[in-house]
Amino acid sequence: VPYAYVSTQDVSKESELRRKYDVIIFAPVGRGPGAIISGMPMWGNPIPWKTTTLTPNLGKIDSTDDMRPGLGYSGLMNLQKFTEDGGLFIGVMDTADLAVTAGFTPGVSIARSQRLKAIGVVLRSKVVDANSPIAYGYGDTLPVYCFNGPIFNLSNFAGGRGGRQRRDARMTGRGTPDDPDTVQGRPPVEAPELPTAEVWEAMPLTDEQRRNGINVIPPAMRPRVVFRYADNKDLFVSGLLDGGDEIAQHPMIVDVPSGQGHLVLFSNNPIWRGQTKGSYFLVFNAILNFDNLNAGRKLDEK
């Protein structure tokens, strides 16, 4: 089937989605993960979406007697099985947040913004992995529409482990960053040099982490950043932006392997109704290459 529409209520009931679909695009819905799962309050009257004499333009693609029920936990399980069976799930903004919160994307976490106000703004992004099929046909930079998108962070660990250590962190918990960090009663030793990484990258693994690596993600299953937001000085193009340093350099598009399939997460909205045609083909590329997204991928050695 070249194109089909599936509702969240259908997903909650259909356990074999992969038999019907190659790709599922879960467009942003304007609600958090909890509301997507639980749906709207069930008190009061049903909210139908149907073709009637009063609503002749509704219910043409799909219809329901009541829009209030959510995805449910059965729907979550069905979506996870869909990707593990070889399907491609595309999440955008809050539905990308849903995939991360549900634990579908080991190695990807979301930092909740404290100051960011990106209200219908155009931001500059930069390609990170031009060999990814998602980036086919694009140059080094791309202006994109963003509306307070999620701030992605990457790790080589599942379960939110292996995050970045603060540079002013004190091993003993005492003193200031400029004081010698000496453990009392022990001879001083030179502190090992901490690994470094760019904002859009996962921190490299240390030998100690690899020795105790039950939560280490295998190289072939690690998240792959395709685009990132530009440096803070180059980020703003047009619109209203405040606190842009919170999202600058962070991943914008992340491709996460899952079983035989993939989840592609967008921090921006690549097919917004405001005719953001320049980013449309990011989605089309993902759809056209749903079964070949590992093309051009370079794996970490360890």
Side-chain angles (χ1 to χ4, degrees):
V1 179
Y3 171 81
Y5 180 87
V6 56
S7 69
T8 56
Q9 294 179 31
D10 295 332
V11 170
S12 68
K13 301 172 186 175
E14 179 57 67
S15 61
E16 297 296 336
L17 292 167
R18 185 65 185 92
R19 294 182 181 179
K20 296 182 178 180
Y21 309 106
D22 294 327
V23 181
I24 291 179
I25 303 174
F26 202 159
V29 296
R31 297 193 295 273
I36 294 173
I37 296 169
S38 300
M40 292 179 276
M42 293 300 292
W43 54 71
N45 297 323
I47 304 176
W49 184 270
K50 302 182 73 172
T51 304
T52 68
T53 54
L54 295 176
T55 57
N57 298 315
L58 302 184
K60 299 299 183 180
I61 299 175
D62 195 15
S63 63
T64 179
D65 292 325
D66 194 352
M67 294 166 47
R68 294 176 298 173
L71 182 66
Y73 289 100
S74 61
L76 273 183
M77 294 175 63
N78 292 341
L79 285 175
Q80 185 176 41
K81 185 176 186 299
F82 166 76
T83 59
E84 292 177 347
D85 289 346
L88 168 62
F89 173 91
I90 297 177
V92 179
M93 298 174 63
D94 48 31
T95 57
D97 190 347
L98 171 70
V100 174
T101 302
F104 294 172
T105 57
V108 181
S109 61
I110 292 177
R112 304 303 169 185
S113 66
Q114 302 299 315
R115 298 174 291 102
L116 178 65
K117 293 181 180 178
I119 311 300
V121 67
V122 178
L123 302 179
R124 185 171 287 106
S125 67
K126 294 179 67 67
V127 68
V128 174
D129 192 342
N131 292 320
S132 168
I134 299 172
Y136 286 172
Y138 284 93
D140 292 335
T141 63
L142 175 69
V144 296
Y145 172 84
C146 179
F147 196 107
N148 282 350
I151 302 171
F152 295 138
N153 286 310
L154 261 60
S155 171
N156 287 326
F157 286 83
R161 298 173 179 267
R164 297 174 183 270
Q165 184 175 0
R166 288 171 43 201
R167 287 295 165 186
D168 60 350
R170 307 284 294 169
M171 299 299 292
T172 60
R174 298 189 299 270
T176 69
D178 296 328
D179 293 330
D181 198 18
T182 304
V183 179
Q184 300 300 312
R186 296 185 184 180
V189 296
E190 189 69 25
E193 185 176 349
L194 296 176
T196 60
E198 300 290 354
V199 173
W200 60 90
E201 297 175 331
M203 293 294 289
L205 296 168
T206 65
D207 291 338
E208 177 66 21
Q209 289 169 336
R210 286 194 292 270
R211 280 194 296 269
N212 299 280
I214 186 172
N215 288 302
V216 172
I217 304 172
M221 302 303 292
R222 291 175 188 171
R224 179 185 190 183
V225 177
V226 183
F227 275 81
R228 68 170 176 90
Y229 289 103
D231 299 355
N232 193 40
K233 63 182 178 63
D234 302 320
L235 182 65
F236 179 73
V237 177
S238 177
L240 172 60
L241 176 66
D242 187 25
D245 57 307
E246 282 196 317
I247 201 169
Q249 296 187 303
H250 283 265
M252 187 183 80
I253 305 173
V254 185
D255 173 14
V256 187
S258 175
Q260 301 177 54
H262 288 254
L263 296 99
V264 173
L265 310 179
F266 285 86
S267 172
N268 69 313
N269 188 347
I271 308 186
W272 186 59
R273 64 180 184 272
Q275 298 295 307
T276 53
K277 295 180 179 178
S279 57
Y280 283 8
F281 228 88
L282 294 169
V283 176
F284 298 155
N285 276 343
I287 294 172
L288 292 169
N289 297 278
F290 80 93
D291 57 350
N292 196 39
L293 288 178
N294 283 328
R297 177 174 179 140
K298 294 181 180 179
L299 300 181
D300 295 337
E301 294 182 2
K302 298 179 181 180

